[in-house]
């Protein structure tokens, strides 16, 4: 790709390239460090359970029962998992390209809004409204994320802060609408839309949103491994300089990734209101968009990893909620374990960072590499 | 609009603004130093939460608000120390670590709060009132018309928050302040001059945690006498914005925090003046202002050269 000495080597943007490498290490970390992180987190939470005056074995068994113990509980787990899968995929491809989007929460809310607007106001047969609602959810999420990309490309605004700020704007926007123009008989929520819902599959509470998220897993896998955009995302994620040398239009890739990633997060929101809640609440999400960042990282930023990590985190949350009723330890245990898993995972990553470190030690001035060429 | 600008309205609005800025200043001023040294604390929201809960717990068991403020600082500093270990010693990605610490804080505080104050029912923690701070009118100054009511009739933690600003300016201008800047701009040069990058980064991060812990203490036992899990409400993330928009300088942080606090206070006071603007739209102001500020309306913000970059000693 490079034509040798004639091309001046631009100074690398040190921090953003480090960020890329640190995150590449996340996807390179082996299965062992992930399993270890989960085990360590569960062990570390034991004293907390003891402090609550409960038997850890009973509590963990109650969590297991409450997540995988019955068809109904497992259906709840998968219904939560699909939210995490769609969010995790959206976050994963963003991070893969070096676009550190923490705006999944806002995109999730916007997607829920888009779906609710369609479900409430679109005339027509319910299957048509359902599809339209999913599409508008995707579009709203994509636009919200596209705004972050636009701010980055046009004004150089770091996506970390702008996407965080837009999360709050999104939540407040839905707060305004559900207490104002879209208010139903009760403040803080819209009218319900029971007739526009994702159909249940296997005849129980599991809804078609899970199938939708599986389709998304396959699509993202194909996108990353089989398309030109996937190649561009991977190259850009390895190094912005490498991408430029490879003739990749960096801003174009960032914008397309933002739209697809934000769209998936929006779809997650649409999916949650159309599949489970059937109404748009001012307290729609307890922060799933942030938890999903942990899902994406633990899943190694790959589609299959995200799928597995999403089911794990969904099982932790649903299991903890059910455990609260049977074993009496607060459901916050789920959130505690999630945080511990991520912290322990981050602990273990630097051990696998030696390759990256060796690369850094070669120092600046070493020629940029195209992904797949050398390092 | 003229009948809106009554004396009572203005004094009330500005006094609320002064108060609301205090936790933002406390959280952002340490963060400004951390970022100058090259470390961003995305977990600030978590430091505030553990600080607020630590202060509540301390005041509950020790029966004294000042001791509570102390335990709040310790809790915030301990949270920051954990984050610092992962970011600085283990060299993990700072942003991801911050998010992890935040999620962990929510879980840890949630479970501790529910266990300790459950009263047999973990689902419904009991609200317990603890010893809290009272307003303390500064003798003399508080009787100045207008200004006394706005600035000198606050709880002591508010005065402390504003006191950190000149102290931070002095620190920034001292030799130590120079070292902090060197840590962010050229860590290698600092090391070859005999300084320790890791030490300074740890100091900055732990100090950020302690100050944010004090800010959290204000949120629990400063403005109320109890605790609830949602008390922080995104102030940690706003404080990140405040530190950046304020150019990581104490005076900039002060101004940015006041602007944010004004927007927050307007949504409390405008309805009393009969101005009917939806609360949520006013609440959006600080976030939108941050984005506009970062878009370079007030000039681009330049990051330190070693921003977000872990440091590793050359063997």
């Amino acid at each position: 790709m490079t034509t040798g000495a004639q091309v001046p080597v631009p100074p690398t943007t040190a921090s953003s390239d480090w960020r890329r490498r640190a995150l590449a290490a996340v996807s390179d970390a082996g299965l062992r460090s992930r399993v270890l992180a989960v085990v360590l987190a569960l062990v570390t939470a034991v004293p907390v359970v003891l402090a609550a005056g409960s038997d850890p074995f009973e509590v963990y068994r109650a969590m297991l029962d409450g997540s995988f113990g019955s068809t109904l509980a497992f259906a709840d787990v998968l219904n939560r998992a699909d939210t995490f899968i769609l969010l995790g995929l959206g976050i994963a491809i963003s991070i893969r390209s070096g676009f550190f989007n923490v705006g999944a929460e806002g995109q999730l809310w916007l997607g829920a809004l888009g779906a609710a607007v369609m479900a409430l106001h679109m005339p027509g047969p319910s299957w048509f409204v359902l599809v339209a609602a999913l599409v508008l959810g995707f579009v709203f999420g994509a636009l919200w994320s596209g705004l972050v990309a636009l701010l980055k490309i046009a004004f150089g605004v770091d996506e970390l802060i702008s996407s965080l700020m837009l999360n709050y704007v999104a939540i407040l926007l839905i707060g305004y609408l559900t207490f104002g123009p879209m208010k139903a008989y009760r403040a803080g929520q819209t009218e319900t839309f029971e007739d526009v819902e994702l159909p249940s599959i296997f005849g129980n509470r599991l809804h078609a949103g899970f199938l939708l998220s599986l389709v998304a897993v396959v699509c993202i896998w194909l996108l990353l491994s089989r398309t030109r955009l996937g190649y561009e995302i991977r190259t850009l994620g390895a190094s912005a300089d490498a991408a430029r040398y490879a003739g990749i239009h960096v801003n174009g890739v960032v914008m397309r990734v933002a739209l697809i990633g934000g769209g998936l997060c929006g779809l997650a929101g649409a999916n949650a209101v159309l599949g489970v809640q059937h109404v748009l609440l001012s307290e729609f999400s307890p922060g799933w968009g942030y938890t999903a960042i942990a899902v994406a990282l633990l899943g190694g930023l790959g589609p299959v990893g995200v799928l597995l990590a999403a089911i794990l985190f969904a099982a932790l949350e649903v299991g903890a909620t059910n455990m609260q009723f049977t074993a009496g330890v607060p459901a916050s245990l789920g959130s505690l374990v999630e945080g511990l898993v991520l912290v322990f995972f981050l602990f273990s990553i630097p051990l696998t960072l030696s390759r990256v470190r060796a690369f850094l030690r070669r120092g600046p001035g070493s020629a940029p590499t195209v992904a797949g060429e050398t390092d | 609009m003229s009948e809106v600008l009554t004396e009572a309205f203005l004094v009330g609005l500005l006094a609320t603004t002064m108060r609301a800025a205090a936790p933002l200043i406390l959280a952002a001023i340490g963060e400004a130093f951390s970022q100058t040294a090259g470390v961003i604390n995305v977990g600030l929201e978590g430091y505030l939460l553990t600080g607020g809960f630590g202060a509540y717990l301390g005041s509950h068991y020790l029966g004294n608000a000042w001791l509570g403020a102390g335990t709040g600082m310790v809790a915030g500093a301990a949270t920051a120390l954990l984050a610092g270990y992962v970011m600085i010693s283990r060299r993990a990605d700072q942003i991801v670590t911050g998010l992890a610490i935040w999620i962990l804080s929510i879980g840890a505080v949630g479970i501790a709060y529910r266990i300790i104050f459950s009263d047999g029912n973990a689902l419904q923690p009991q609200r317990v009132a603890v010893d809290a701070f009272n307003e303390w009118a500064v003798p003399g100054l508080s009787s100045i018309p207008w200004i006394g009511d706005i600035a000198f009739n606050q709880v002591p933690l508010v005065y402390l928050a504003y006191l950190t600003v000149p102290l931070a300016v002095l620190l920034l201008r001292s030799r130590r302040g120079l070292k902090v800047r060197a840590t962010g701009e050229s860590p290698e040069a600092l090391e070859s001059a005999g300084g320790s990058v890791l030490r300074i980064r740890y100091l900055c991060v732990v100090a950020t945690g302690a100050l944010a812990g004090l800010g959290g203490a204000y949120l629990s036992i400063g403005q109320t006498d109890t605790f609830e899990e949602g008390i922080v409400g995104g102030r940690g993330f706003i404080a990140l914005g405040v530190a950046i928009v304020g150019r990581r300088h104490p005076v900039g942080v002060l101004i940015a925090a006041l602007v944010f606090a004004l927007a927050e206070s307007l949504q409390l006071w405008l309805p009393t003046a009969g101005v009917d603007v939806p609360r949520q739209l006013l609440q959006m102001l600080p976030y939108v202002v941050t984005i506009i500020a970062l878009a370079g309306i007030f000039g681009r913000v330049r990051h330190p050269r070693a921003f977000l970059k872990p440091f590793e000693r050359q063997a």
Side-chain angles (χ1 to χ4, degrees), chain B residues 24-46:
Chain B
L24 293 179
I25 294 171
L26 285 169
I29 212 145
E31 175 62 14
F33 277 85
S34 275
Q35 289 189 10
T36 304
V39 183
I40 192 169
N41 289 281
V42 177
L44 210 49
E45 183 88 1

Side-chain angles (χ1 to χ4, degrees), chain A residues 15 18-19 297 324 347 350 357, chain B residues 86 90 96 123 307 310 312:
Chain A
S15 58
W18 166 265
R19 213 195 268 178
L297 292 167
Q324 179 169 260
F347 263 41
R357 254 181 258 146
Chain B
V86 180
R90 309 293 304 194
V96 178
L123 307 180
F307 194 47
E312 186 174 19

Side-chain angles (χ1 to χ4, degrees), chain B residues 244-265:
Chain B
I244 294 173
V245 174
R247 303 291 170 84
R248 307 187 176 98
H249 188 281
V251 176
V253 165
L254 173 69
I255 295 168
L258 284 170
V259 171
F260 274 89
L262 181 65
E264 191 186 325
S265 309

